[in-house]
Structure formats: C-alpha cells, structure tokens
Amino acid sequence: KQIAETAYRDVMEHHCTVKTGDALARFVRQKMRGNIAFLVSELSFGGVGWVACHHAALLKKRGVDVLLLTTGQKAENIIFDGENLPVVSRDTIYSYRYFDRMAAFDWQSAQWMQDYANAGVRYYMVRGFETDYYPPGNIIRLKANQMYTPHVPMQFAAPCQWCQSWLADNYGQSAQVLQEGTAFEMLHTIPARLQKFQNQKRKVLLAASGALEAEHLREAFQIADLLDPQRYQICSYFYHERPDVEEEFERKYPRGIQYRCKSQQEVWQMYGECEILLLTATGICAQAQILDMMAAGGAVVAAREAANRLFLSDGGNCALYAPGNVEEAAACIRRISEEEDYRKRLLRNAQQTASEH
C-alpha cells in the first residue's frame, strides 16, 4: 500500500499536466503561427465588411491564421481575394479559446471584445462617430459612447484624420491612421467602365452604411425623386438586409436596379456599371466606397462631411452638397450629367485621387 501511495503522489506531482502542462503549452505556442480574429456585427461585401475581409486576406497571405467572427448562428466561409476566410458565429465561441490579437470594427463588436477574457492585444478600428447614430436619451447611444473609453487596454486605429482628431480631443485616445485603399488595377480595367456616360440614361447608385443606413437612403430617395426618370435610372446597394427600405425602393422605382452582391467581384462590377455614386451618409468615413467608384471611372456626389474633407474637393474630384439639401444634391447630379467639360475634370481628378490611394 505504501509503495502504491508513493507512486501515486509522484505521478500526480511530476507526470500530470495540471502541474507540468505549462512547459508543454509554451512549447506548442512557440510552434504555432500567430492568429487574429476580426469582429464585425454583420458581414457584407461593402463598407466595414469589405475592410475586415481585406485585412484578413492580406494577413492570411502572409502566413497568419485568421478568423472572422460575426453575429447569429449562420456563418459561411467567404472567398475574398483568392483566400478562403473562415467565418464563425460569436455565439459559438467559448472564452477558453485564445486569440493573440482581436480587431473590432464597430462598437457592438468592441464591447464583445472588451468582455472576452482570453485575448492578447485588442484593436478597435473606429470608422465613424457611432454615438451620433442614436438619438439623445437612447441607452444604446451611451453604450456606443462608452467604447471610446474601454475598461481594458485597446489600441485604436482610424481610416482618416477626422476620426483620429476627435478620438484624441474628446476621449484622449491616440489612434493610428490606416487609410482604406482601393483595388485600383482591378476597378480601372473593368470593361463596363468604358460605357460610362455613353447611354441615354445615367445610372445613379444610392449607397449608405452604418446604423443610419436606412435613414440616409431615404434622404437619397428624396434626391432621386427630383431627377427625370427618363434620363436617370436609380440603382441601390444595401450593405445590410433592410426589407422595409428594399420594399420602398421597389415601389418607388419599379425600373430601378437593386444590386445584391455576393462577392467582391460583383461589387466591382456594380461600380463599373454605375455612372454616379450618391452618398448621403454622415458621421462615417466612407473612403472605401468613394475611392472604388472613382477608380471605376465614375463620379461622386456626397454630403459635405468632415470625415472625407481631406481627400474630397468640391468641383475638383467630386461634387459636394450640404447635408439635407436635396435640391442642391439633385442639381449636382444634373450638372455632372449635362456639362461635359465639368464632368471630364471631375473624372480626371477622381482617377488621380484613386490611384494615389
């Protein structure tokens, strides 16, 4: 009996992973590749979804293990830039799974990341002032605002100096600027772009993103209603499922086009087919959408917004209008369509802007 008890104590002390597993774990970690999880509330081929997939594909090409974490139970892998990106629902991830790095692209994802215990370095990619996406008094507004001062360390990043500025001034956060580029060579060679402004009808693409997508699109509807249906074909692309807005679009523009892009190539083709991008969004840096349209040879009409002022020039590479002034926006679209010299100047400068990014 004494021999058995001595053997038992020796095994428990020196041969069980409870007390000896750390050395094994350190050995395994040394042999493993680095990993990173990208968090987005909704995956779509446009807006924040495109940015997350772009970063994930780039890192995977460099040998990093990547994972896209989204909400809901349904999660399917995504092919992006030739890379098969694994997608997993956050509802199925358990807290004992370790991530070297995690990157969130919206406040809901940042909140989930903040509460996830088993992570190394956390990054918050701030693309807009999400506090203003909700009305005063709404508890969600307060939750969004809290994520600019998280209670665990996070490294902040921003796509433009506008975000960098208010993060520093209002919240004391130092953010690195990571500009969102564009697949210029791909967009610049889309065959459809050669037909821009050649047809009798101009295709006007209504686009918006963020929590106020539906509200911004309805402003775009007001602008589109001021355009001659004989000269303009209204198109739309919804980054997220908005059944009420989609039904409204179908009712108002029965001859319009609703793009439902299922791949990045389809998004590029959409930009190649449309002549004018109407962007009514405010409070968010929409650099990726704007640069994609410019690279595809199209014109941009956008709300005058601090987030985009560093690379947009009214009358230079785009046409800007005062937010909410639907008459001014419609006039901008008509001028681009009707004044050839003005249009050529905008398109030439827009191509230069896209190539530089």
Side-chain angles (χ1 to χ4, degrees), residues 120 130 249 261 310 344 357:
E130 293 184 275
F249 181 91
C261 303
L310 294 177
K344 286 183 176 180
H357 289 76

Short mmCIF file of all heavy atoms in Angstrom, two decimals, residues 120 130 249 261 310 344 357:
data_model
loop_
_atom_site.label_atom_id
_atom_site.label_comp_id
_atom_site.label_asym_id
_atom_site.label_seq_id
_atom_site.Cartn_x
_atom_site.Cartn_y
_atom_site.Cartn_z
N GLY A 120 -5.02 38.49 -26.37
CA GLY A 120 -3.79 39.21 -26.12
C GLY A 120 -3.97 40.70 -26.35
O GLY A 120 -4.41 41.44 -25.48
N GLU A 130 -20.02 56.69 -33.79
CA GLU A 130 -21.22 55.88 -33.68
C GLU A 130 -22.18 56.38 -32.60
O GLU A 130 -23.35 56.02 -32.60
CB GLU A 130 -20.84 54.43 -33.43
CG GLU A 130 -20.14 53.78 -34.61
CD GLU A 130 -19.86 52.30 -34.39
OE1 GLU A 130 -18.82 51.99 -33.78
OE2 GLU A 130 -20.68 51.46 -34.82
N PHE A 249 -38.01 50.94 -52.08
CA PHE A 249 -37.29 51.17 -53.33
C PHE A 249 -38.04 50.55 -54.52
O PHE A 249 -38.21 51.19 -55.56
CB PHE A 249 -35.88 50.58 -53.23
CG PHE A 249 -35.05 50.79 -54.47
CD1 PHE A 249 -34.24 51.90 -54.59
CD2 PHE A 249 -35.08 49.87 -55.51
CE1 PHE A 249 -33.47 52.11 -55.74
CE2 PHE A 249 -34.33 50.06 -56.66
CZ PHE A 249 -33.52 51.19 -56.77
N CYS A 261 -24.99 41.99 -54.15
CA CYS A 261 -23.67 41.44 -54.44
C CYS A 261 -23.30 40.34 -53.45
O CYS A 261 -23.39 40.54 -52.24
CB CYS A 261 -22.62 42.56 -54.42
SG CYS A 261 -22.99 43.91 -55.57
N LEU A 310 -10.51 65.62 -46.32
CA LEU A 310 -9.08 65.63 -46.59
C LEU A 310 -8.74 65.05 -47.96
O LEU A 310 -7.65 65.28 -48.46
CB LEU A 310 -8.33 64.85 -45.50
CG LEU A 310 -8.38 65.48 -44.10
CD1 LEU A 310 -7.67 64.60 -43.09
CD2 LEU A 310 -7.75 66.87 -44.11
N LYS A 344 -15.69 65.84 -67.19
CA LYS A 344 -14.37 65.32 -67.51
C LYS A 344 -13.33 65.75 -66.49
O LYS A 344 -12.42 64.98 -66.15
CB LYS A 344 -13.96 65.78 -68.92
CG LYS A 344 -14.69 65.06 -70.04
CD LYS A 344 -14.18 65.51 -71.41
CE LYS A 344 -14.84 64.71 -72.54
NZ LYS A 344 -14.36 65.13 -73.87
N HIS A 357 -4.29 56.33 -53.74
CA HIS A 357 -4.67 55.59 -52.53
C HIS A 357 -4.62 54.10 -52.76
O HIS A 357 -5.09 53.33 -51.94
CB HIS A 357 -6.08 56.01 -52.07
CG HIS A 357 -6.13 57.40 -51.51
ND1 HIS A 357 -6.09 58.53 -52.29
CD2 HIS A 357 -6.22 57.84 -50.23
CE1 HIS A 357 -6.16 59.61 -51.52
NE2 HIS A 357 -6.24 59.23 -50.27
#
